[in-house]
Amino acid sequence: KFRDVEWKINEWYDKGFSPFVYIHNLDFDARKIPEVFERGNILWNQTRKIGNKYATIKCVKYTIKDSFKIVPAALSKLSKDFEVEHGKLDLWNDVQTAYPNQYKDIADFFERCDPDDEIYVRYLGYDVLSLYEVLQKVMQLAKLEVEDFVRIMSTASLSRYLMKNGYGGEQF
């Protein structure tokens, strides 16, 4: 839950760091964390959109970035493609068992469930782990340091970085 980690993000900020938080499909998931949208928290002049969807939400003490803009594929596919240890969970059977006939599909569950729902929180936990592992592998393959990776906003900017730094397709 965001409130469970926001204190740590703020602690890093207070130590002089510029924390970055990555969310895969930011527009959808940001709706579940209203703390981000508290009055005065977002620096709108530094917030960026690509294709009318948030790519970066710049907040006072941290920056939230949409990893989908960098690696535009479903996290479940990325988890398999990159062979991460903590793959994305399929919890539809759990949802049907806990809430028979209340949701038409998993997307409906995500749209309407309580952000504190136990199944949803477990699902998000695996999302966090799998996204972290995917992004680590992207940085490793592209030979990007974290300080450079946080400047990447999209697949196009990643491509420009790679071309500028002498990487061609044959290295991958």
Side-chain angles (χ1 to χ4, degrees), residues 7-75:
W7 71 270
K8 191 64 171 176
I9 295 168
N10 291 334
E11 181 180 284
W12 282 104
Y13 174 82
D14 293 341
K15 290 180 179 181
F17 294 95
S18 298
F20 285 80
V21 177
Y22 284 84
I23 296 176
H24 207 68
N25 193 0
L26 177 57
D27 272 14
F28 180 82
D29 289 340
R31 296 179 293 162
K32 297 282 189 177
I33 46 176
E35 300 92 337
V36 170
F37 296 95
E38 288 177 356
R39 187 179 187 97
N41 187 42
I42 296 178
L43 305 175
W44 292 106
N45 62 336
Q46 295 178 47
T47 293
R48 301 288 178 258
K49 288 186 172 187
I50 296 175
N52 212 26
K53 292 188 175 192
Y54 291 112
T56 302
I57 298 177
K58 177 66 175 143
C59 298
V60 173
K61 294 186 174 184
Y62 49 88
T63 302
I64 302 174
K65 298 186 74 128
D66 188 353
S67 55
F68 188 87
K69 300 286 190 255
I70 301 167
V71 282
L75 191 52

Side-chain angles (χ1 to χ4, degrees), residues 52-155:
N52 212 26
K53 292 188 175 192
Y54 291 112
T56 302
I57 298 177
K58 177 66 175 143
C59 298
V60 173
K61 294 186 174 184
Y62 49 88
T63 302
I64 302 174
K65 298 186 74 128
D66 188 353
S67 55
F68 188 87
K69 300 286 190 255
I70 301 167
V71 282
L75 191 52
S76 57
K77 181 171 178 7
L78 293 169
S79 295
K80 288 177 186 168
D81 290 349
F82 283 97
E83 299 176 350
V84 300
E85 181 180 344
H86 301 93
K88 190 167 175 76
L89 293 180
D90 179 3
L91 296 176
W92 180 234
N93 288 334
D94 293 357
V95 170
Q96 290 177 308
T97 301
Y99 309 106
N101 302 316
Q102 290 187 30
Y103 299 99
K104 63 181 179 183
D105 55 27
I106 198 73
D108 183 36
F109 171 72
F110 292 149
E111 184 73 33
R112 298 189 299 121
C113 76
D114 184 306
D116 294 328
D117 182 273
E118 180 183 320
I119 296 171
Y120 184 66
V121 170
R122 183 167 33 122
Y123 176 86
L124 291 178
Y126 270 83
D127 267 20
V128 168
L129 291 171
S130 61
L131 179 59
Y132 175 79
E133 291 176 28
V134 165
L135 295 179
Q136 290 295 311
K137 289 193 177 201
V138 168
M139 286 187 284
Q140 180 183 25
L141 285 169
K143 298 181 176 104
L144 273 163
E145 296 296 324
V146 172
E147 295 79 9
D148 295 320
F149 185 75
V150 297
R151 293 187 190 111
I152 303 296
M153 191 165 61
S154 66
T155 305

